[in-house]
Structures are given as structure tokens and as C-alpha cells.
Amino acid sequence: MQNLLVTGGAGFIGSNFVHYCVEHTGFHITVLDKLTYAGHRESLASLPADRVDLVHGDIADAALVNDLVPRADVVVHYAAESHNDNSLHDPRPFLDTNIVGTYTLLEAVRRHGKRYHHISTDEVYGDLDLDDPGRFTEETAYNPSSPYSSTKAGSDMLVRAWFRSFGVQATISNCSNNYGPFQHVEKFIPRQITNLIDGVRPKLYGAGANVRDWIHADDHSAAVLKIIEKGRPGETYLIGADGERSNQQVIETLLELFSLPAGAYDQVTDRPGHDLRYAIDSTKLRTELGWRPVVDSFETGLAATIDWYKANETWWRPQKAGTEARYVEQGQ
Ligand code: NAD
Ligand code: DAU
């Protein structure tokens, strides 16, 4: 395995994966990215030109995809419209990219006989009650709530069908909420960090009892590498680092890390259909492939993420005002 085609490699998790591969493998990586509002050339700018190429284009462009796929040994598919709140206001791009884009890639890997890894989310399983002792496993039934998560669930189903009907050598991973550098300021953690840097109070949706299961993007990247190296085609692997926290707890931790008083946040309009709790049981990945998270704790990872946003204002500043203007329009 020498050449990877990484879709969405200029986005948050994709760019972290490309950085991780440059550091930990000898792969050459071609990134295919549409550079939507969520994709940033700058996220890859520090990487060596002989290891990483960026092709600006759409995964739903069959001619382009059929040109790039034959040159790769493995296709790792991160590209997506990824934000739940956006999907509630304009679902169409989610269908185009997450469904038609995935279909276009699957047809190309089928035609050219390439190994394919599909990046998905725990949100395909819907949500758990706050007091449910259970967690999601690979056997949990799909039950997505939002236009975003339903298009991700649809794309997972396409991958399963292309494996069973056409023998495409595909694996799927469903990961929980990521945090780390290069995440767009529309998302929960970077929105609050950049608010706090600007002296603005963090914004909590509703009462903030909703629970997310946080994992550092580097731990996600290490898991994806294990799966593309040792995963069994046709299998799904759940990725999670036992990082359950309520949104309110996350905001309180951020306030503490900024040396601000507890409770110094605003409650804003809740997200319609807001999933209550996600929680991942990653036993299969840990026992079958020997993966385990290496980031010490959520709190140390969060402190390092704060440092990254403080040191990289030129990266996030251009996104900030427009993102906040949209949230204000929505009462959030
Ligand atoms: P992101 O929005 O930060 O990045 C998405 C990237 O895809 C951007 O660079 C964008 O330009 C690109 N893109 C969008 N449409 C495209 C198209 N039609 N053709 C080519 N490129 C296109 O998203 P992210 O948070 O990095 O998520 C990446 C993947 O990981 C997604 O598939 C998402 O569902 C999945 N995921 C995300 C999380 C999370 O916590 N963020 C957790 C689990 C799984
Ligand atoms: O679980 C994996 C998913 O995690 C991925 O599939 C998605 O691509 C990714 O965006 C993320 O989805 P969430 O909806 O959980 O992430 P988000 O960062 O938008 O919000 C996290 C939680 O914080 C959620 O309960 C909503 C809440 N929230 C969000 C924002 C932006 C707030 O309380 N205040 C905010 O300002």
C-alpha cells in the first residue's frame, strides 16, 4: 500500500488524518476536496509537496473520480456535508455529497477493483436515553434523526450493498464526536473556544444535558489506519474513546481552562430534534485490531486544542463573523 486517495482531506478530520499519515507512514496522499466553506487549503499547507497533492474537485464528478481512483491503492472517504444545524436549514447539499458523492466513489472503486474505507458517524444509530446504561455497538439498529445523519446512514447502506452485491472490498467505521485542531468554528468546541478568546460568553443549546462521546482526532486517525491495514472487508468498526460528557460539563471545563467563573455562559435556542446521548462501545476495534486511544484525557486534549486556536487565529478568524451571524439569525 503506497498511494492513498483521501476525499475531504482539507476538512477537519480528513486534514488531521493526512497530517497523521505524513508523520506515521510512508504513504503518498492525494486529497480530493471541493473546498466548500468547510475545506481549507491552509490546513495542508505545512505538509511536504512530495507526500501530499491537493486536487480541487467534487466527489460527485464521475469523470474526475474515475481519473483519480485507478492511481490509488486505497480510497479513504471523509468528504461530506457534516453539520447537523446546516442540514436542518438546507438539506439538499447533504443529499448531493453524502449520497450521490458516495455512490460515485463506490462505482469507481468497483470498476477499478480498489480497496475502499468509508468514514461514518455514530449518529446513524440515533440517540440513547440519558439514563440508558447501554452504548452503541456494531449490532445496534440504524435510526438516524437529522437530514445529516440520515444521509450518512444512507451512504453506509450503499457501501454495504456494494460489498454484498458487487464484492467491493469495503470497510466502514462509525466514530463519535471528534475534537482537535483545524475544526470549523461552527462546531460546538471551536465555537466556544473562539468565543472565549474574543471575550464572548459560550452558547449552550437548551439545558445542555445532551451527552456526546468525545475523541481526539489523532486517536480517530490511528484507528482508521489500523482498519485500512488490518480490517476485514465487509465489516463495520465503531470508534470511541470512552469520553462521555454533557455539553454543560464541556462548557464548564472550558471556562475553567480559561480561568473564568463557573456558569458564565448563555443558554440559547435548542436544536430541533436534538439527539440526547451518543456512547460508543469500541470493544471490537480494541480486541480485533489492537487499537486504543493514546491521548491522555479529554481535559489535556482540550487544553492543547485551546492552545492551537490561540496560536492559529489567522486560520479561524475568516470563518468567525459569518458563522456567528448565521447563528444569531437562528437564535443560537
Ligand atoms: P468537515 O465539514 O470539517 O469537512 C468536510 C470536507 O469535505 C471539507 O474539506 C469539504 O470541502 C469536503 N467536501 C464537502 N463536499 C465535498 C464534495 N462534494 N466533494 C469533495 N469534497 C467535499 O467534516 P469533518 O467533521 O471533518 O467530517 C469528516 C467525515 O467524518 C464526515 O464523513 C463525517 O460524517 C465524519 N465524522 C465526523 C465526526 C465529527 O465529530 N466531526 C465524527 C464522526 C464521523
Ligand atoms: O457524533 C458524531 C457527529 O458529531 C458527527 O457525525 C458530526 O459530523 C459532527 O458535527 C458532530 O455532530 P454534533 O451535532 O454532535 O456536533 P456539534 O459540534 O454540532 O454539537 C455538539 C453538541 O453541542 C450538540 O449536542 C449540540 C451542542 N451545541 C452545539 C453548538 C454549535 C451547543 O450546545 N452549542 C453550540 O453552539
Side-chain angles (χ1 to χ4, degrees):
M1 191 164 57
Q2 298 291 329
N3 295 303
L4 260 52
L5 177 62
V6 176
T7 73
F12 163 46
I13 309 184
S15 64
N16 275 280
F17 178 72
V18 176
H19 280 262
Y20 195 89
C21 285
V22 168
E23 197 175 333
H24 296 275
T25 75
F27 302 152
H28 180 273
I29 295 143
T30 301
V31 168
L32 170 58
D33 200 294
K34 192 175 173 182
L35 300 177
T36 66
Y37 79 96
H40 306 282
R41 247 178 224 291
E42 303 75 38
S43 304
L44 303 171
S46 64
L47 296 173
D50 61 338
R51 298 286 308 280
V52 181
D53 290 328
L54 170 61
V55 177
H56 180 192
D58 192 331
I59 55 164
D61 177 344
L64 175 61
V65 165
N66 274 297
D67 182 39
L68 295 173
V69 165
R71 302 187 223 163
D73 300 308
V74 184
V75 176
V76 190
H77 176 34
Y78 285 90
E81 285 294 335
S82 70
H83 194 38
N84 277 298
D85 292 323
N86 295 345
S87 80
L88 296 165
H89 295 278
D90 182 14
R92 180 60 199 244
F94 290 75
L95 291 149
D96 293 337
T97 289
N98 301 357
I99 302 283
V100 179
T102 298
Y103 156 76
T104 308
L105 288 167
L106 285 170
E107 281 294 79
V109 292
R110 172 190 173 197
R111 184 170 305 120
H112 301 288
K114 299 295 179 177
R115 172 86 170 81
Y116 172 88
H117 181 67
H118 185 72
I119 302 294
S120 193
T121 167
D122 58 359
E123 294 195 16
V124 299
Y125 301 113
D127 60 354
L128 299 159
D129 284 335
L130 295 178
D131 60 358
D132 185 338
R135 297 188 288 174
F136 299 136
T137 72
E138 287 78 6
E139 276 69 52
T140 304
Y142 275 39
N143 187 26
S145 314
S146 73
Y148 161 67
S149 54
S150 59
T151 57
K152 290 298 292 186
S155 70
D156 291 10
M157 293 302 167
L158 294 177
V159 178
R160 290 178 180 202
W162 261 243
F163 168 75
R164 177 157 174 165
S165 301
F166 305 125
V168 165
Q169 296 298 285
T171 40
I172 300 176
S173 54
N174 298 80
C175 188
S176 60
N177 284 66
N178 285 222
Y179 70 97
F182 299 114
Q183 187 170 28
H184 194 280
V185 301
E186 70 187 353
K187 301 299 197 304
F188 179 52
I189 286 180
R191 182 182 186 202
Q192 315 314 334
I193 291 175
T194 53
N195 277 350
L196 288 164
I197 291 172
D198 280 349
V200 173
R201 284 161 70 94
K203 310 293 177 206
L204 187 63
Y205 289 180
N210 310 63
V211 169
R212 297 293 182 264
D213 189 352
W214 294 99
I215 180 172
H216 193 277
D218 280 348
D219 282 331
H220 186 181
S221 295
V224 170
L225 270 184
K226 285 263 190 224
I227 296 167
I228 62 179
E229 281 163 357
K230 301 198 325 199
R232 288 178 291 139
E235 293 293 317
T236 289
Y237 298 88
L238 262 56
I239 307 173
D242 300 333
E244 283 186 72
R245 302 279 185 293
S246 74
N247 295 338
Q248 191 198 11
Q249 282 176 308
V250 172
I251 285 197
E252 292 292 8
T253 304
L254 286 169
L255 288 168
E256 213 177 304
L257 291 168
F258 275 86
S259 306
L260 289 166
Y265 57 83
D266 295 333
Q267 281 179 285
V268 295
T269 311
D270 207 350
R271 175 184 286 171
H274 197 171
D275 279 342
L276 281 175
R277 171 172 161 252
Y278 307 140
I280 290 268
D281 178 344
S282 58
T283 304
K284 179 178 175 183
L285 178 71
R286 290 171 193 246
T287 53
E288 206 177 282
L289 303 186
W291 171 88
R292 55 194 38 74
V294 298
V295 173
D296 265 357
S297 71
F298 177 66
E299 287 67 24
T300 49
L302 199 56
T305 304
I306 292 172
D307 290 344
W308 188 89
Y309 280 89
K310 282 184 175 166
N312 289 278
E313 187 169 337
T314 50
W315 183 88
W316 59 264
R317 179 61 69 192
Q319 309 161 20
K320 185 65 180 169
T323 302
E324 285 306 316
R326 274 193 300 282
Y327 275 128
V328 167
E329 259 172 46
Q330 294 159 202
Q332 293 177 317

